[in-house]
Amino acid sequence: MADPDLSSPLINHQSSDQHDVVISINDDNNSGLVLEKPKQQVEFDHRYQTNPFVFLSETEPPILGPTTVDPFRNNTPGVYGLYEAIKIVICLPIALVRLVLFGASLAIGYLATKLALAGWKDKHNPMPQWRCRIMWITRICTRCILFSFGYQWIRRKGKPARREIAPIVVSNHVSYIEPIFYFYELSPTIVASESHDSLPFVGTIIRAMQVIYVDRFSQASRKNAVHEIKRKASCDKFPRLLLFPEGTTTNGKVLISFQLGAFIPGYPIQPVVVRYPHVHFDQSWGNISLLMLMFRMFTQFHNFMEVEYLPVIYPNDNQKQNAVRLSQKTSHAIATSLNVVQTSHSYGDLMLLNHADDLKLENPSNYMVEMAKVESLFHLSSVESVRFLDTFFSMNPDSSGRVKLHDFLRVLRLKPCSLSKGIFGFIDVEKSESITFRQFLFASAHVLTQPLFQQTCELSFSHCDTDGDGFISIQELGNALKHTIPNLNKDEIQGMYILLDDDKDQRISKNDFFSCLRRNPLLIPIFAPNVAPT
């Protein structure tokens, strides 16, 4: 046998065209040698591998699966089936009687409330007892209103805790029926949107409940509402407080994310669960008009309603200021009692759903994104998300809510090139050659919230404004773009110029430039210096 070459390795590597065999050893009782098949090499399109936003951050937007739940959909928005049609016809005379009872009860309650409020100026302090006694007339009228809607009896389980034990009550919110029931049952102080004050009749009644108004889009208003909740919860002379922490009505099939206003003060909370058992008629206030919902209620023999008072939840002494923990404990108790899942939807998703419906988009539920999760990840407001939906709508999504590359480039005034395709590939995390609104929103928000985004906008404007006069001319724009998007013609440069001219005064100021990039943050790579593809 020939002498071995001491300079050569003892084990020769196989050539690249040969397959490796991997031997693994199992540690369980059936240990042995397992031959693993070689993994196949996967071919990737390198256009989609490059992250065009790497100069901002090497991280990519989180990949979250699409949501398949619509928490706002009413399951019976119309009349279906012969049984339901016959029942409505039979109940029409009953509905007329109920309508009269409803009108009379509302009128008497309104007059009693006006009498209780007459001459009362000091609404900062608790309502005097003699005025509260007059409000009993209104409370009896609300029970008659419930009767007119078909709630002849209401099943209760458990009992409300005393006010000094649990000054705050929270409940799931399915219909406009719950506030009516709670007014009769508990006569609480409620937290409501400022828009409720202008409602005829209802606005007067809720003012007598010493309502705490809040503008959900104003941080100052929300802060003031929390202060008022804490102030009134700490004083036993005020009624207990009632809040619907979901912030809107749902169909009762899931529990959406809770707002923290009820939990920030750190007082004991009594959760209450409301159910509407039904077979033929879903009583939730979903994608159905108020008048249609009232008509359907009037034309039912009986509408079932169940109210369950759950045990009081106390904040831990060392967690009194931990509103998130108290909210989680409360939402878990309510979801467990309802036997439903909790989702990260919020009122912002309802805004997106309604806006998609207004835009006549097919399957509007495709455009919900679980806004509570979006706000947590990116601190992006619901109003900003609606603006992104407008941009996505202009890309002409198909019936499944997806947008192709050419429509994406058309709206952003881009032409096909390695950089523009890389931007699209950054959004297209599934590599399906089409994007959803959820992916578009997540990618845009991810870029917009990067720490270096604002600084890059400053540098990009300075890079484009070569003469330093504070404005970008069309010639300067063309010179800046030729480094990142080659072979642009005059019309294409003009299209980008019009897009950047936010106030349409035919010149691009720094404010115009920044405003456009905040609305279209995915454009930042084409303006950023030193981002030209190699």
Side-chain angles (χ1 to χ4, degrees):
M1 185 173 76
D3 293 333
D5 183 2
L6 297 180
S7 64
S8 63
L10 295 178
I11 301 177
N12 291 320
H13 291 286
Q14 294 176 327
S15 61
S16 59
D17 60 343
Q18 292 177 311
H19 296 303
D20 293 332
V21 177
V22 181
I23 302 177
S24 62
I25 301 177
N26 295 331
D27 293 330
D28 55 14
N29 294 332
N30 298 323
S31 61
L33 300 180
V34 179
L35 296 180
E36 294 184 355
K37 294 182 179 180
K39 296 181 179 179
Q40 295 180 350
Q41 297 295 323
V42 181
E43 295 290 337
F44 289 100
D45 187 344
H46 292 283
R47 293 175 304 172
Y48 295 102
Q49 289 187 41
T50 304
N51 180 357
F53 302 93
V54 71
F55 62 94
L56 292 176
S57 172
E58 293 184 358
T59 62
E60 297 186 354
I63 301 176
L64 298 174
T67 175
T68 58
V69 177
D70 184 350
F72 310 110
R73 181 181 298 277
N74 181 289
N75 292 318
T76 56
V79 179
Y80 300 103
L82 181 61
Y83 168 78
E84 193 66 15
I86 293 174
K87 180 171 61 175
I88 289 176
V89 172
I90 294 174
C91 288
L92 281 176
I94 302 174
L96 293 176
V97 176
R98 288 175 171 174
L99 183 60
V100 172
L101 176 61
F102 168 77
S105 300
L106 186 62
I108 295 171
Y110 173 75
L111 293 175
T113 304
K114 292 288 285 186
L115 179 62
L117 291 176
W120 185 39
K121 304 297 183 183
D122 186 19
K123 294 181 173 60
H124 188 73
N125 292 315
M127 178 179 281
Q129 284 297 318
W130 69 269
R131 295 182 184 272
C132 292
R133 293 189 182 97
I134 297 177
M135 288 300 298
W136 264 104
I137 300 174
T138 307
R139 293 177 68 177
I140 293 171
C141 288
T142 57
R143 184 62 187 92
C144 294
I145 289 174
L146 290 172
F147 187 91
S148 70
F149 282 130
Y151 299 96
Q152 291 87 3
W153 66 85
I154 298 171
R155 182 184 176 187
R156 296 171 177 82
K157 183 178 180 181
K159 294 182 179 180
R162 296 195 308 274
R163 197 257 182 236
E164 57 268 22
I165 294 177
I168 299 177
V169 173
V170 300
S171 171
N172 62 314
H173 199 9
V174 179
S175 177
Y176 62 85
I177 294 297
E178 298 106 50
I180 301 174
F181 168 81
Y182 286 126
F183 177 71
Y184 165 71
E185 181 92 344
L186 304 174
S187 186
T189 292
I190 65 172
V191 178
S193 171
E194 291 179 343
S195 60
H196 287 73
D197 185 69
S198 59
L199 295 175
F201 299 102
V202 176
T204 301
I205 294 174
I206 63 175
R207 282 196 295 273
M209 300 169 69
Q210 296 191 269
V211 63
I212 299 173
Y213 289 117
V214 61
D215 178 1
R216 69 176 83 236
F217 302 113
S218 168
Q219 185 175 1
S221 177
R222 295 197 303 269
K223 185 176 180 180
N224 179 69
V226 171
H227 172 75
E228 282 295 292
I229 291 170
K230 188 173 183 178
R231 183 179 75 88
K232 292 185 176 181
S234 63
C235 178
D236 289 338
K237 292 184 179 180
F238 280 104
R240 73 188 80 211
L241 286 100
L242 168 68
L243 293 97
F244 299 104
E246 292 173 287
T248 186
T249 56
T250 71
N251 57 15
K253 301 294 187 297
V254 299
L255 194 71
I256 65 174
S257 62
F258 277 14
Q259 304 297 311
L260 297 180
F263 311 98
I264 292 175
Y267 287 98
I269 303 283
Q270 181 170 33
V272 187
V273 169
V274 178
R275 305 181 187 87
Y276 296 92
H278 66 275
V279 175
H280 300 283
F281 166 50
D282 183 359
Q283 300 158 59
S284 66
W285 195 359
N287 53 326
I288 181 172
S289 69
L290 176 61
L291 290 178
M292 174 58 74
L293 187 60
M294 292 177 64
F295 173 76
R296 296 293 303 277
M297 287 183 174
F298 282 145
T299 54
Q300 302 292 314
F301 294 121
H302 175 74
N303 290 309
F304 291 91
M305 180 180 181
E306 298 177 355
V307 179
E308 181 180 1
Y309 294 93
L310 301 180
V312 176
I313 296 178
Y314 298 90
N316 296 334
D317 290 337
N318 60 345
Q319 294 179 338
K320 274 204 168 183
Q321 301 304 318
N322 195 338
V324 174
R325 175 60 179 161
L326 187 57
S327 168
Q328 290 173 344
K329 290 167 63 177
T330 306
S331 62
H332 177 73
I334 293 178
T336 301
S337 180
L338 287 171
N339 193 27
V340 298
V341 298
Q342 302 178 63
T343 71
S344 296
H345 293 90
S346 71
Y347 180 77
D349 288 284
L350 184 60
M351 291 177 59
L352 290 170
L353 180 70
N354 290 336
H355 194 59
D357 189 55
D358 293 339
L359 295 173
K360 308 300 182 185
L361 287 166
E362 295 185 60
N363 302 313
S365 59
N366 288 336
Y367 300 91
M368 291 187 293
V369 295
E370 295 188 279
M371 271 303 302
K373 192 174 294 181
V374 172
E375 292 172 357
S376 174
L377 289 171
F378 308 113
H379 306 289
L380 191 73
S381 71
S382 302
V383 175
E384 291 174 301
S385 298
V386 170
R387 285 201 290 264
F388 279 117
L389 178 56
D390 284 327
T391 303
F392 192 80
F393 168 70
S394 63
M395 297 176 186
N396 192 29
D398 59 23
S399 59
S400 63
R402 289 184 168 272
V403 164
K404 299 287 188 180
L405 174 63
H406 67 278
D407 285 317
F408 172 81
L409 298 181
R410 171 181 55 81
V411 170
L412 295 186
R413 307 294 200 276
L414 299 174
K415 65 182 299 182
C417 66
S418 60
L419 179 58
S420 62
K421 292 177 181 178
I423 294 173
F424 187 82
F426 179 78
I427 309 170
D428 182 18
V429 291
E430 298 174 351
K431 308 310 174 198
S432 61
E433 299 184 2
S434 64
I435 59 174
T436 65
F437 172 65
R438 186 183 180 91
Q439 293 168 347
F440 174 73
L441 179 67
F442 274 44
S444 300
H446 174 77
V447 173
L448 185 62
T449 53
Q450 291 303 312
L452 294 177
F453 179 80
Q454 185 65 27
Q455 181 181 352
T456 305
C457 289
E458 297 272 0
L459 293 173
S460 299
F461 184 81
S462 300
H463 175 67
C464 296
D465 180 22
T466 53
D467 60 7
D469 65 348
F471 297 94
I472 300 175
S473 67
I474 193 166
Q475 181 65 39
E476 290 173 327
L477 181 64
N479 291 335
L481 292 179
K482 70 182 181 182
H483 297 292
T484 51
I485 305 180
N487 304 320
L488 280 175
N489 59 42
K490 291 183 178 180
D491 291 338
E492 291 166 340
I493 297 173
Q494 180 69 27
M496 181 61 69
Y497 193 86
I498 293 172
L499 179 67
L500 290 170
D501 183 15
D502 193 61
D503 58 9
K504 307 306 177 188
D505 63 351
Q506 298 184 357
R507 61 180 187 173
I508 302 173
S509 65
K510 181 179 286 189
N511 288 336
D512 289 335
F513 189 77
F514 287 3
S515 177
C516 179
L517 289 182
R518 280 193 294 269
R519 287 185 289 104
N520 305 282
L522 298 173
L523 288 176
I524 191 68
I526 72 170
F527 299 107
N530 304 321
V531 186
T534 57

